[in-house]
Amino acid sequence: MSSVLPFPRVNALSAAEALALAEPVAQRLAETAIARDQAGGHARHERELIRASGLLALTIPGAHGGLGASWPTFYRVLRRLSQADSALAHLFGFHHLQLAGVLLFGSEAQQQRLLGQTVEHRWFWGNALNPLDKRLQAVDTASGYRLDGVKSFASGSVGSDLLTLSAWHAPTQTALIAVLPTGAAGVTVNADWDAFGQKQTDSGTVAFDAVHLAAADVLQPPGATPTLRASLRTQVSQLIMANLYLGIAQGALGEALRFSRDEARPWFQSGVAASVDDPFVQHRYGELWLKVRPAEALADAAAVTLQQALDRGDALTAADRGEVAIAIAEAKVLAHRAAVEVSSELFELTGARSTSARYGLDRFWRNARVHTLHDPVDYKLRDLGRHALTGAWPEPTPYS
Amino acid sequence: MSSVLPFPRVNALSAAEALALAEPVAQRLAETAIARDQAGGHARHERELIRASGLLALTIPGAHGGLGASWPTFYRVLRRLSQADSALAHLFGFHHLQLAGVLLFGSEAQQQRLLGQTVEHRWFWGNALNPLDKRLQAVDTASGYRLDGVKSFASGSVGSDLLTLSAWHAPTQTALIAVLPTGAAGVTVNADWDAFGQKQTDSGTVAFDAVHLAAADVLQPPGATPTLRASLRTQVSQLIMANLYLGIAQGALGEALRFSRDEARPWFQSGVAASVDDPFVQHRYGELWLKVRPAEALADAAAVTLQQALDRGDALTAADRGEVAIAIAEAKVLAHRAAVEVSSELFELTGARSTSARYGLDRFWRNARVHTLHDPVDYKLRDLGRHALTGAWPEPTPYS
Amino acid sequence: MSSVLPFPRVNALSAAEALALAEPVAQRLAETAIARDQAGGHARHERELIRASGLLALTIPGAHGGLGASWPTFYRVLRRLSQADSALAHLFGFHHLQLAGVLLFGSEAQQQRLLGQTVEHRWFWGNALNPLDKRLQAVDTASGYRLDGVKSFASGSVGSDLLTLSAWHAPTQTALIAVLPTGAAGVTVNADWDAFGQKQTDSGTVAFDAVHLAAADVLQPPGATPTLRASLRTQVSQLIMANLYLGIAQGALGEALRFSRDEARPWFQSGVAASVDDPFVQHRYGELWLKVRPAEALADAAAVTLQQALDRGDALTAADRGEVAIAIAEAKVLAHRAAVEVSSELFELTGARSTSARYGLDRFWRNARVHTLHDPVDYKLRDLGRHALTGAWPEPTPYS
Amino acid sequence: MSSVLPFPRVNALSAAEALALAEPVAQRLAETAIARDQAGGHARHERELIRASGLLALTIPGAHGGLGASWPTFYRVLRRLSQADSALAHLFGFHHLQLAGVLLFGSEAQQQRLLGQTVEHRWFWGNALNPLDKRLQAVDTASGYRLDGVKSFASGSVGSDLLTLSAWHAPTQTALIAVLPTGAAGVTVNADWDAFGQKQTDSGTVAFDAVHLAAADVLQPPGATPTLRASLRTQVSQLIMANLYLGIAQGALGEALRFSRDEARPWFQSGVAASVDDPFVQHRYGELWLKVRPAEALADAAAVTLQQALDRGDALTAADRGEVAIAIAEAKVLAHRAAVEVSSELFELTGARSTSARYGLDRFWRNARVHTLHDPVDYKLRDLGRHALTGAWPEPTPYS
């Protein structure tokens, strides 16, 4: 059972300190982002860069040996990495999502053991949790469960040390949630992710063949009702999405501005000597800016709301959770649109020459487009409108 | 010369306290807003309501006997009033703009005298300041100036006690800025404002016929270069606009939601029993909400930025001012759009029956549409884009 | 039963001839449109102008003594009138909708009698047909039916000579459709329409108190299944809406352009001597133009499709009707948006001075906003998307 | 000098006949479009398919042995090919643009010779004409000119038989326009086009090293003033762009609909059994449809307007040309937006699984995004707005 206490954050890393740790990582990722986007596949070297930075312990409470940063700080770091490379940032973000799962679903002993070892061994976690997908089945055994089946869209699975997974348990008609070493016997991680964007997220398929799952590694046993607080894991995840999208939008806007300043030529009918002086160019950048800026403001506000909810511990009410879900839905829709629209519209400003493959400017749209399909924006809009109309909170689900 | 010190705010009214003062005023205004919108003209009774509330002293520093609220608090109050009645809120907002003018342009003695008497006599100020309009001329006399000419768009002039005005001074080819009792000999205030919205803003024409202006009432003499800090008056004004627009958007959305809940009927093809359960209705309200919410977040952020700049006193730099101008431009564009778009689109949701004149739901669009034409949104977008491209700050002008 | 033959159009009035008849009417309406919009109420004089023009016989086949214009010609005329005065154009449009009802639902004898007398007496028809509203009840009598109850949104009822009505018939649980002289005993037409736009459409409530309805005046008796062709009346009506909206958009754009050319001042930061030379102004007018122009093209195309379907007579198939419904839905959504958006956005271009009540420029938005709520645009979009996805045609209803 | 007569079209191919010729070509192109998009490079085999179809003679008048199709027919064929493969369609379109150049700039003898041989040898033409680019210089020689320099963005140059080119002539400070065999001595065609879309358009750089240009192959000599009619070449080109964009939009929408029908899964909160029954999905497809449909209508209308202008021969007036330019600008802006927006937004409907590289659905956006940067949409909008405001026609330039 999860702790009733808020996450301790004594001597926690400040946002400025965390961003200082992240900055060189972001810059290193940016140097090779275009080439790695084109190559796709597994980014072993860059994963090691992140591991070496110590940032894998960013959200682990100080009591377990981690850096103890707040969630708002984590999201700022995530966004910075996403500006440079949204695929690697996704791996980083989903690693911390798994840690949030341990904090929200795990017992104190599990937290102590799993988080402590994560700090000690610098483990990188991957995701195989999707309660709506029943293709992975758990069967009771004497010492735990036997797992058979498959999980797809398993972000970060390739090259991970541990996986969080959900598995369908037929007798109770519920899903269990558990932790499993990626190297466990019978686990096969397939590098079969072939989307046209977010190529290096290692989001392939994981096959389980008579895999032994120890009872001690089960965070939520079959038939258990998760606490309201545990249901915040979805919100941690949704706000990871929002900040990844926002980072893409910021990265795209930054690259577009740089191109306009350094390389774009004025249109022959513009009557100005530099593209940056064309009133239509200035006006359109004003529009793009106004897609990014509100998403930033609401993403930051949502992170504060989430942290406050986490800090309430078991005192969390449905209304508290609902306010988090609404705040994050607002941020996520805005970030979704900022990412997709800025990354597509920027070309109106940078022009024909900017489409050369050597600039790789299309990667922002491809990354945004693939990543923003995690769950449909229309249902977020519905949730927001329904709340405004009736006061109803979004139902706690794996997506809201 | 203006004080180098920040506005003192000891024992200042908190936002909660100020909103508590404003709430009954807003509710009283709302009761008659539809009828007064249809009637137009001068709202003597409602101006007295505002005067009686004490809120005319809201932004006057405690040292001068005022309530000493911060500018963020003022803007929250303004927005609340605008939700109920954006015309009366405009009078309230422009009253405080004139007080900001005294604080930013006036000497310590002028501040002491004018603000102190404003508290004492509960004066209501009006606006006749528009440096771009040269039709009002100031001619030097022995004891000050003689004023002849006309000012239009003089918001709050009808029924005001004092006016702030600008007048063109031919010898120096500059404008002076001064204070004048509305009842001064030779001043004629014409109630000739006839716009289709914001009808009760008393924004008519003021004629000056050989009016004597005392030297002691001149805040900025001809030929003087205003300080950078004094140029923040424009920003105080622009953020008043933004919050008025935002209040209109919030008011419109609130009324639309109420209509949808209480009076709207489900469309016969919707398959639901209540309009609020129609997925298209929910989705559209989600969209409207996402026009209002970012404008709120950025208006609040801009108010904090403005307050910090004011608090810097004479240490204010061009970059400080520029950041204020950018933050307020962001908020203003979003609020502009929220007001115009929400007030027009809401009818898709409330339906044909909501167009009956007895609901007065069109007043939000008419008010938003008239008010948002103060200065063109396209030049704000240009300012934002140009800043993103080149780092240039918006030029200090009466509109930026 | 309705004729199996297409509407005869021998010696029919051409579009150019019809527009030449309409032009002086449109110009006369335009002269007083601002004043009449402000006054509201019944436009007796202007209705007589229309009657005197002979245009009330525009769509009546030559065989019945009418002008025999095609439906595409009718819609062009309607659009021209709507540019000048969309309220009076609505009366004109709905008059012809009633005539279409006689042509589509009436027997040959009814057509002969009702249309012939309409030509002879220059009758003006009004609408009290709304099959979804069951408040008007028809009870069988020896010689026909007794009508009791009420109809609302009865466009053109005030001052009309004849009404088309629907009435609920409880024994068969269906609605009958019939014609009734407005002056029949027991009929009370209430001039209680009080919407904030389309003020002179005489769309009030009609009360029926023991009114005798002769069997000979019933176009569709209770329990009868209307032919597929008769269901085109809805499409005639929907395309009337589309052309009214389009006329509003065109009228609004035309007035805005005139204001920009003749009265608008350049913004002080624009660097140009005339508002029409401001690149932002040119660009925005380009955008407004691209809202109007596609609506025009699709409205014209839809009118041709409708005419072809009408010309097929009883050979009309469900697919024929479906194609009409899709073509008209396309045009209607575009015209809806053009009207609402152009009439609101034009003020960004004409500026603060254009909001003076003497220009009456807000009437376009108010008229568009009221009129476009006839049925929800979201269900038209759904119909279009569903057809693209599945091939399903819009269900024949009073709105599709 | 160009013929004063309109293009003869006796016994010309009808649209239906031309589309029947094109259909198997389009289907063959579609079969390999995904694979060839990923591979990039030169599509020799597919160019031969087009050549073998006979469609390279589509716009060549019957008098010269061609198929003599009208320009509206040509654009329909172009659009059909673009739905399947917008890169190969571009080659096809630009081939015909070069033929239009011969018809508009060439003497009767040149037309006879060049078009006749094109039919006879099934020549494929490429483009090296860009009058704004002065890097290719023409120097007078005894028998013509010597060409030195470079042309970039030379669409269709790789694998072409002939090129149309412009070259700067310093003595007259004008550009000449001429025809040159691609295989001429000193010409090097570089396959260095590396954009992220429209990969197989062979739009690389062509280098000229002391190339001999015969006087007989010069269509427009240095210093000559092109006729107004010749300036229609730009409009032929702009409408090629519009139809290519429109084909992309149609192709993207078609593939999205197919995916939604055959492969998409309903969202778990939708309450429906199939994605196509989700009201949000239907509604969004309605929106996408309304981006494509108006572009179609205006592209067809513009083609008719262009044909009429071409048919006027030397009687063409500036207003005639202006009307063509406005009609094509309307169509081009709508098609531009339809292509970019539909190809990006479709993913909201097809969902995460549709981003697998095996579906290649991102190619539509990449193709649209690269191709729509030919010239800035903002200047088209300006041209449209300026015309509405002042009646000014777009200036004849290589882009308008």
Side-chain angles (χ1 to χ4, degrees):
Chain A
M1 194 200 130
S2 78
S3 165
V4 301
L5 292 176
F7 300 153
R9 287 204 313 279
V10 265
N11 300 322
L13 208 65
S14 73
E17 291 165 332
L19 286 165
L21 275 182
E23 187 57 33
V25 180
Q27 292 182 9
R28 291 287 295 277
L29 294 177
E31 285 166 12
T32 55
I34 295 172
R36 288 182 293 103
D37 164 66
Q38 283 163 1
H42 180 61
R44 180 178 312 275
H45 179 67
E46 287 69 25
R47 291 179 69 129
E48 292 309 316
L49 266 179
I50 294 173
R51 195 194 303 267
S53 73
L55 287 168
L56 294 181
L58 186 64
T59 60
I60 298 179
H64 301 307
L67 299 178
S70 71
W71 289 93
T73 289
F74 159 70
Y75 287 117
R76 292 288 301 280
V77 168
L78 177 65
R79 207 191 293 171
R80 177 66 191 94
L81 296 180
S82 181
Q83 293 165 11
D85 182 334
S86 57
L88 272 290
H90 181 65
L91 296 176
F92 172 79
F94 262 44
H95 164 83
H96 287 285
L97 175 59
Q98 313 314 315
L99 302 184
V102 174
L103 286 162
L104 291 165
F105 286 92
S107 67
E108 286 188 40
Q110 287 173 323
Q111 292 180 32
Q112 183 71 32
R113 172 168 58 91
L114 291 166
L115 300 178
Q117 294 187 0
T118 296
V119 172
E120 184 183 354
H121 303 299
R122 299 199 162 194
W123 279 342
F124 217 131
W125 291 57
N127 184 56
L129 189 148
N130 174 358
L132 295 183
D133 180 352
K134 303 177 181 176
R135 292 175 300 163
L136 178 59
Q137 299 273 336
V139 175
D140 298 270
T141 63
S143 61
Y145 303 88
R146 197 185 76 194
L147 302 175
D148 287 281
V150 72
K151 282 283 176 189
S152 49
F153 291 106
S155 290
S157 55
V158 184
S160 66
D161 302 295
L162 268 86
L163 292 172
T164 314
L165 59 80
S166 59
W168 189 250
H169 182 257
T172 57
Q173 288 289 299
T174 63
L176 63 76
I177 296 175
V179 171
L180 190 77
T182 311
V187 173
T188 308
V189 174
N190 297 299
D192 55 2
W193 171 247
D194 76 337
F196 60 72
Q198 292 293 84
K199 290 181 183 173
Q200 294 196 318
T201 56
D202 297 323
S203 301
T205 308
V206 183
F208 301 80
D209 181 15
V211 174
H212 172 62
L213 170 64
D217 287 342
V218 175
L219 301 178
Q220 177 184 284
T225 304
T227 64
L228 191 60
R229 183 157 173 274
S231 80
L232 287 174
R233 185 188 185 276
T234 298
Q235 298 304 324
V236 171
S237 172
Q238 289 278 312
L239 193 51
I240 286 173
M241 300 292 166
N243 280 283
L244 284 164
Y245 305 166
L246 180 50
I248 295 174
Q250 292 172 322
L253 181 58
E255 281 298 293
L257 286 165
R258 192 199 59 70
F259 195 95
S260 284
R261 277 190 293 256
D262 297 348
E263 315 210 28
R265 297 172 185 169
W267 185 241
F268 80 100
Q269 296 180 303
S270 66
V272 295
S275 178
V276 297
D277 296 325
D278 184 327
F280 295 138
V281 172
Q282 296 175 342
H283 191 274
R284 262 188 199 274
Y285 271 115
E287 292 282 10
L288 296 189
W289 178 250
L290 285 181
K291 295 180 194 285
V292 175
R293 180 71 186 98
E296 273 176 18
L298 293 195
D300 286 341
V304 170
T305 303
L306 172 63
Q307 184 68 59
Q308 289 167 342
L310 290 167
D311 289 349
R312 297 211 66 192
D314 287 354
L316 190 80
T317 65
D320 291 337
R321 192 207 184 268
E323 278 165 18
V324 171
I326 291 296
I328 291 176
E330 292 170 354
K332 182 153 174 279
V333 176
L334 293 182
H336 173 124
R337 291 180 172 173
V340 174
E341 295 174 11
V342 170
S343 65
S344 181
E345 294 175 20
L346 70 89
F347 291 97
E348 310 285 357
L349 294 156
T350 53
R353 291 172 51 257
S354 71
T355 63
S356 166
R358 75 175 176 279
Y359 300 115
L361 280 175
D362 60 318
R363 73 188 188 280
F364 297 107
W365 178 84
R366 287 186 289 97
N367 289 336
R369 196 59 289 191
V370 167
H371 209 154
T372 49
L373 302 177
H374 179 266
D375 55 282
V377 72
D378 285 330
Y379 285 86
K380 286 277 171 285
L381 285 162
R382 185 206 62 172
D383 284 357
L384 290 172
R386 190 175 56 179
H387 176 64
L389 279 163
T390 70
W393 301 114
E395 303 89 348
T397 76
Y399 297 94
S400 59
Chain B
M1 195 200 131
S2 79
S3 166
V4 301
L5 294 174
F7 301 152
R9 289 203 312 279
V10 266
N11 300 322
L13 208 65
S14 72
E17 290 165 332
L19 286 166
L21 275 182
E23 187 57 32
V25 179
Q27 292 183 8
R28 291 286 296 278
L29 292 177
E31 286 166 12
T32 55
I34 296 171
R36 286 182 295 103
D37 165 66
Q38 285 164 358
H42 180 60
R44 181 178 311 277
H45 179 67
E46 287 71 24
R47 291 180 70 129
E48 293 308 316
L49 266 180
I50 294 173
R51 195 194 302 266
S53 73
L55 287 167
L56 294 181
L58 186 63
T59 61
I60 298 178
H64 300 308
L67 299 178
S70 70
W71 288 93
T73 290
F74 159 70
Y75 287 117
R76 292 288 301 281
V77 167
L78 178 64
R79 205 190 293 171
R80 177 65 191 94
L81 296 181
S82 182
Q83 293 165 10
D85 182 335
S86 58
L88 272 291
H90 181 64
L91 296 177
F92 173 78
F94 262 45
H95 164 82
H96 287 285
L97 175 59
Q98 312 315 314
L99 302 185
V102 173
L103 286 161
L104 291 166
F105 287 93
S107 66
E108 286 189 40
Q110 286 173 322
Q111 292 181 31
Q112 184 71 34
R113 173 168 58 90
L114 291 166
L115 301 178
Q117 295 187 358
T118 297
V119 172
E120 184 183 354
H121 303 300
R122 300 198 161 195
W123 279 342
F124 218 130
W125 291 58
N127 184 56
L129 189 149
N130 175 356
L132 294 183
D133 180 352
K134 303 178 180 175
R135 291 174 300 162
L136 177 60
Q137 299 273 337
V139 175
D140 298 271
T141 63
S143 60
Y145 302 88
R146 198 184 75 191
L147 303 175
D148 287 280
V150 72
K151 281 284 176 189
S152 49
F153 291 106
S155 290
S157 55
V158 184
S160 66
D161 302 297
L162 268 87
L163 294 171
T164 313
L165 59 81
S166 59
W168 189 250
H169 183 256
T172 57
Q173 289 289 299
T174 62
L176 62 76
I177 295 176
V179 171
L180 189 77
T182 312
V187 174
T188 308
V189 175
N190 297 299
D192 56 2
W193 171 248
D194 76 335
F196 61 71
Q198 291 294 83
K199 289 183 185 173
Q200 294 197 318
T201 55
D202 298 324
S203 300
T205 309
V206 183
F208 301 79
D209 180 15
V211 173
H212 172 62
L213 170 63
D217 286 343
V218 175
L219 301 178
Q220 178 184 282
T225 304
T227 63
L228 192 59
R229 183 157 175 275
S231 80
L232 287 174
R233 184 186 186 277
T234 298
Q235 298 303 324
V236 173
S237 172
Q238 290 277 313
L239 193 51
I240 286 174
M241 300 292 166
N243 281 284
L244 284 165
Y245 306 165
L246 180 50
I248 295 173
Q250 294 172 320
L253 182 58
E255 283 298 294
L257 287 164
R258 194 199 58 70
F259 196 96
S260 285
R261 280 190 292 256
D262 298 348
E263 314 211 26
R265 298 171 184 168
W267 184 241
F268 79 100
Q269 296 180 304
S270 66
V272 294
S275 178
V276 297
D277 296 325
D278 185 326
F280 295 138
V281 170
Q282 295 175 342
H283 191 275
R284 261 189 199 274
Y285 270 113
E287 292 282 12
L288 296 189
W289 178 250
L290 285 181
K291 295 179 192 287
V292 174
R293 181 71 187 98
E296 272 176 18
L298 293 195
D300 286 341
V304 170
T305 304
L306 172 64
Q307 183 69 58
Q308 289 167 341
L310 290 167
D311 288 350
R312 297 210 67 191
D314 286 353
L316 189 82
T317 66
D320 292 336
R321 191 206 184 268
E323 279 165 17
V324 172
I326 291 296
I328 291 177
E330 293 170 353
K332 183 153 173 278
V333 176
L334 293 182
H336 173 125
R337 290 179 172 173
V340 173
E341 295 173 11
V342 170
S343 65
S344 182
E345 294 176 20
L346 70 89
F347 291 97
E348 309 285 356
L349 295 155
T350 53
R353 289 171 52 257
S354 71
T355 64
S356 167
R358 74 174 176 280
Y359 299 116
L361 280 175
D362 60 319
R363 72 188 188 279
F364 296 107
W365 178 84
R366 287 185 288 99
N367 290 334
R369 196 58 289 191
V370 167
H371 210 154
T372 49
L373 303 177
H374 180 265
D375 56 282
V377 71
D378 284 330
Y379 284 85
K380 286 276 170 286
L381 285 162
R382 184 205 65 171
D383 284 356
L384 290 172
R386 189 176 55 179
H387 176 64
L389 279 162
T390 70
W393 301 114
E395 303 89 347
T397 77
Y399 296 93
S400 61
Chain C
M1 196 200 130
S2 78
S3 165
V4 300
L5 294 174
F7 302 151
R9 289 203 312 278
V10 267
N11 300 322
L13 207 66
S14 72
E17 290 165 331
L19 286 166
L21 275 183
E23 187 57 32
V25 180
Q27 291 183 9
R28 291 286 295 278
L29 293 177
E31 286 167 12
T32 55
I34 296 172
R36 287 182 294 103
D37 165 66
Q38 284 163 0
H42 181 60
R44 180 178 311 275
H45 179 68
E46 287 70 25
R47 291 180 69 131
E48 293 308 315
L49 266 180
I50 295 173
R51 195 194 302 265
S53 72
L55 286 168
L56 293 181
L58 185 64
T59 60
I60 298 179
H64 300 307
L67 300 178
S70 71
W71 288 93
T73 290
F74 159 70
Y75 288 116
R76 293 287 302 280
V77 168
L78 178 64
R79 207 192 291 172
R80 176 65 191 93
L81 296 181
S82 182
Q83 293 165 10
D85 182 334
S86 57
L88 272 290
H90 180 65
L91 296 177
F92 173 78
F94 262 45
H95 164 83
H96 288 285
L97 175 59
Q98 312 315 314
L99 302 184
V102 173
L103 286 161
L104 291 165
F105 286 92
S107 67
E108 287 189 40
Q110 286 174 323
Q111 292 181 33
Q112 184 71 32
R113 172 168 58 90
L114 291 166
L115 299 179
Q117 294 187 357
T118 296
V119 173
E120 184 183 356
H121 303 299
R122 300 200 160 194
W123 279 342
F124 218 131
W125 291 58
N127 183 57
L129 189 149
N130 175 356
L132 294 184
D133 180 353
K134 302 178 180 174
R135 291 175 300 162
L136 177 60
Q137 298 274 335
V139 175
D140 298 271
T141 64
S143 60
Y145 302 88
R146 198 185 76 191
L147 303 175
D148 288 280
V150 72
K151 279 285 176 189
S152 49
F153 291 106
S155 290
S157 55
V158 183
S160 66
D161 302 297
L162 267 86
L163 293 171
T164 314
L165 59 81
S166 59
W168 190 249
H169 183 256
T172 57
Q173 288 289 300
T174 62
L176 63 76
I177 295 176
V179 171
L180 190 76
T182 311
V187 174
T188 308
V189 175
N190 298 299
D192 55 2
W193 172 249
D194 75 336
F196 60 73
Q198 291 294 84
K199 289 182 185 173
Q200 294 196 317
T201 55
D202 298 324
S203 300
T205 309
V206 183
F208 301 80
D209 180 15
V211 173
H212 172 61
L213 170 62
D217 286 343
V218 175
L219 302 178
Q220 178 184 283
T225 304
T227 63
L228 191 59
R229 183 159 173 275
S231 80
L232 287 174
R233 184 187 186 277
T234 298
Q235 298 303 325
V236 172
S237 172
Q238 290 277 313
L239 194 50
I240 286 174
M241 300 293 166
N243 281 284
L244 285 165
Y245 304 166
L246 180 50
I248 295 173
Q250 293 172 320
L253 182 58
E255 282 297 294
L257 287 164
R258 193 199 59 69
F259 195 95
S260 285
R261 280 190 292 256
D262 298 348
E263 314 211 27
R265 298 172 185 167
W267 184 240
F268 80 101
Q269 296 180 305
S270 66
V272 295
S275 177
V276 297
D277 296 325
D278 184 326
F280 295 138
V281 170
Q282 295 175 343
H283 191 275
R284 261 188 199 273
Y285 270 113
E287 293 282 10
L288 295 190
W289 179 250
L290 285 181
K291 294 179 193 287
V292 174
R293 181 71 185 98
E296 271 176 21
L298 293 195
D300 285 342
V304 170
T305 304
L306 172 64
Q307 183 68 58
Q308 289 168 341
L310 289 167
D311 289 349
R312 299 211 65 191
D314 287 354
L316 189 81
T317 66
D320 292 337
R321 192 208 183 266
E323 279 165 17
V324 172
I326 291 297
I328 291 178
E330 293 169 354
K332 183 153 173 279
V333 176
L334 292 182
H336 173 125
R337 290 179 173 174
V340 173
E341 295 173 11
V342 171
S343 64
S344 182
E345 294 176 20
L346 70 90
F347 292 97
E348 309 286 357
L349 295 155
T350 53
R353 290 172 50 257
S354 70
T355 64
S356 167
R358 74 175 177 279
Y359 299 115
L361 281 175
D362 60 319
R363 73 188 188 279
F364 296 107
W365 178 84
R366 287 186 289 100
N367 289 335
R369 195 59 288 191
V370 167
H371 210 155
T372 49
L373 303 177
H374 179 266
D375 55 281
V377 72
D378 285 329
Y379 284 86
K380 286 276 170 286
L381 286 162
R382 183 205 66 171
D383 283 358
L384 290 172
R386 189 176 56 180
H387 175 65
L389 279 162
T390 70
W393 301 113
E395 303 90 347
T397 76
Y399 296 93
S400 60
Chain D
M1 193 200 131
S2 77
S3 165
V4 303
L5 293 174
F7 301 151
R9 288 203 312 279
V10 267
N11 300 323
L13 208 65
S14 72
E17 290 167 332
L19 287 166
L21 276 182
E23 187 57 32
V25 180
Q27 292 182 10
R28 291 286 296 277
L29 293 177
E31 285 166 12
T32 55
I34 295 171
R36 287 183 294 102
D37 164 66
Q38 284 164 1
H42 180 61
R44 180 178 312 276
H45 179 67
E46 287 69 24
R47 291 180 70 129
E48 293 309 316
L49 265 180
I50 294 173
R51 195 193 302 267
S53 72
L55 287 168
L56 294 180
L58 186 64
T59 61
I60 298 178
H64 300 307
L67 299 178
S70 70
W71 289 93
T73 290
F74 159 70
Y75 288 117
R76 292 288 301 280
V77 168
L78 178 65
R79 205 191 294 172
R80 176 65 191 94
L81 297 181
S82 181
Q83 293 165 12
D85 182 334
S86 57
L88 272 290
H90 181 66
L91 296 176
F92 172 79
F94 262 45
H95 164 83
H96 287 286
L97 175 60
Q98 313 315 315
L99 303 184
V102 174
L103 286 162
L104 290 165
F105 286 92
S107 67
E108 286 189 39
Q110 287 174 322
Q111 292 180 32
Q112 183 71 33
R113 172 168 58 90
L114 291 166
L115 300 178
Q117 294 187 359
T118 296
V119 172
E120 185 183 355
H121 304 298
R122 298 199 163 196
W123 279 341
F124 218 131
W125 291 58
N127 184 56
L129 189 149
N130 175 357
L132 295 183
D133 181 352
K134 303 178 180 176
R135 292 174 299 163
L136 178 60
Q137 299 273 336
V139 175
D140 298 271
T141 64
S143 59
Y145 303 88
R146 198 185 76 193
L147 302 176
D148 287 281
V150 73
K151 281 284 175 188
S152 49
F153 291 105
S155 290
S157 55
V158 184
S160 67
D161 302 295
L162 268 87
L163 292 172
T164 315
L165 58 80
S166 59
W168 190 248
H169 182 257
T172 57
Q173 288 290 299
T174 61
L176 63 76
I177 296 176
V179 170
L180 190 76
T182 311
V187 174
T188 309
V189 175
N190 298 298
D192 54 3
W193 171 248
D194 75 337
F196 60 72
Q198 291 292 85
K199 290 182 184 173
Q200 294 196 318
T201 56
D202 297 322
S203 301
T205 308
V206 183
F208 301 80
D209 180 15
V211 174
H212 172 62
L213 170 64
D217 286 341
V218 175
L219 302 178
Q220 178 184 284
T225 304
T227 64
L228 191 60
R229 183 157 174 275
S231 80
L232 287 174
R233 184 188 186 276
T234 298
Q235 298 305 323
V236 173
S237 172
Q238 289 277 313
L239 193 52
I240 286 173
M241 300 292 165
N243 281 283
L244 284 164
Y245 305 166
L246 180 51
I248 295 174
Q250 293 172 321
L253 181 58
E255 281 299 293
L257 286 164
R258 194 200 57 70
F259 196 96
S260 284
R261 279 190 292 257
D262 298 348
E263 314 210 28
R265 297 171 185 169
W267 185 241
F268 79 101
Q269 296 181 304
S270 66
V272 295
S275 177
V276 296
D277 295 325
D278 184 326
F280 295 138
V281 171
Q282 296 175 341
H283 191 275
R284 261 188 200 274
Y285 271 114
E287 292 282 10
L288 296 189
W289 178 250
L290 284 181
K291 295 180 194 284
V292 175
R293 181 70 186 98
E296 273 176 18
L298 293 195
D300 286 342
V304 170
T305 303
L306 172 64
Q307 184 67 58
Q308 289 168 342
L310 290 167
D311 289 348
R312 298 211 65 192
D314 287 353
L316 189 80
T317 66
D320 291 337
R321 191 206 184 269
E323 278 166 17
V324 172
I326 291 295
I328 291 176
E330 292 170 354
K332 182 153 173 281
V333 176
L334 293 182
H336 173 125
R337 291 180 172 174
V340 174
E341 294 174 11
V342 170
S343 65
S344 181
E345 294 176 21
L346 70 89
F347 292 97
E348 309 285 358
L349 295 155
T350 53
R353 290 171 51 257
S354 71
T355 64
S356 167
R358 74 175 176 280
Y359 299 115
L361 281 176
D362 60 319
R363 73 188 187 279
F364 296 107
W365 178 84
R366 286 186 290 98
N367 290 335
R369 195 60 289 189
V370 167
H371 209 155
T372 49
L373 302 177
H374 179 267
D375 55 282
V377 71
D378 286 329
Y379 285 86
K380 285 277 170 287
L381 285 163
R382 185 206 63 171
D383 284 357
L384 290 172
R386 190 175 55 179
H387 176 64
L389 278 163
T390 70
W393 302 114
E395 303 89 347
T397 77
Y399 297 94
S400 59

